[in-house]
């Protein structure tokens, strides 16, 4: 199947439009919300502040991406299963949430992240079965 020159030009226009209309505003919203959360978390621990600052904006972006579909169906009567805006919201929710995971895994065991999931002396049972371990596995 051969892709014509016009198909690639249309695809580039669509990508540029999504960049300007979706990704740049979502980037600004993400950076501003993470920055405001970082300033409002009262702790001397920078890693903890970054973890908390990325947690709630990531959760709000995830909620917005899940609510965008039903709201568009109610208000705009759109029959599409997926929209570019909903997809881009989900991408930014994933980016912010994964940064939360990176910072969050470093909060407790500082450099020894395996201790979040495994017991320290590797005694039987090897995995942590306490409440802290169960929370980390979920």
């Amino acid at each position: 199947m051969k892709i014509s020159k016009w198909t690639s030009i249309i695809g580039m226009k669509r990508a540029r439009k999504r960049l300007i209309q979706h990704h740049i505003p979502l980037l600004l919203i993400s950076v501003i919300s993470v920055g405001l959360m970082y300033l409002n978390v009262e702790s001397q621990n920078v890693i903890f502040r970054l973890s908390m600052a990325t947690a709630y904006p990531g959760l709000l972006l995830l909620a917005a991406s899940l609510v965008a579909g039903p709201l568009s169906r109610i208000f705009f009567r759109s029959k599409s299963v997926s929209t570019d805006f909903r997809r881009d919201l989900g991408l930014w929710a994933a980016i912010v949430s994964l940064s939360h995971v990176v910072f969050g895994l470093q909060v407790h065991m500082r450099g020894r992240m395996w201790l979040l999931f495994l017991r320290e002396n590797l005694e039987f049972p090897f995995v942590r079965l306490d409440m802290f371990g169960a929370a980390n596995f979920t």
Side-chain angles (χ1 to χ4, degrees), residues 61-90:
L61 285 168
L62 176 64
S65 70
L66 293 174
V67 169
L71 286 180
S72 71
R73 178 79 172 144
I74 291 169
F75 293 113
F76 301 112
R77 305 286 186 225
S78 173
K79 290 192 174 29
S80 65
V81 174
S82 178
T83 62
D84 287 342
F85 181 67
R86 185 176 177 191
R87 185 180 310 121
D88 295 340
L89 262 174

Side-chain angles (χ1 to χ4, degrees), residues 10-25:
I10 292 169
M12 288 173 46
K13 286 182 181 180
R14 182 171 175 240
R16 188 178 303 127
K17 179 182 172 187
R18 282 179 62 198
L19 177 69
I20 293 169
Q21 290 183 347
H22 298 168
H23 289 291
I24 291 175

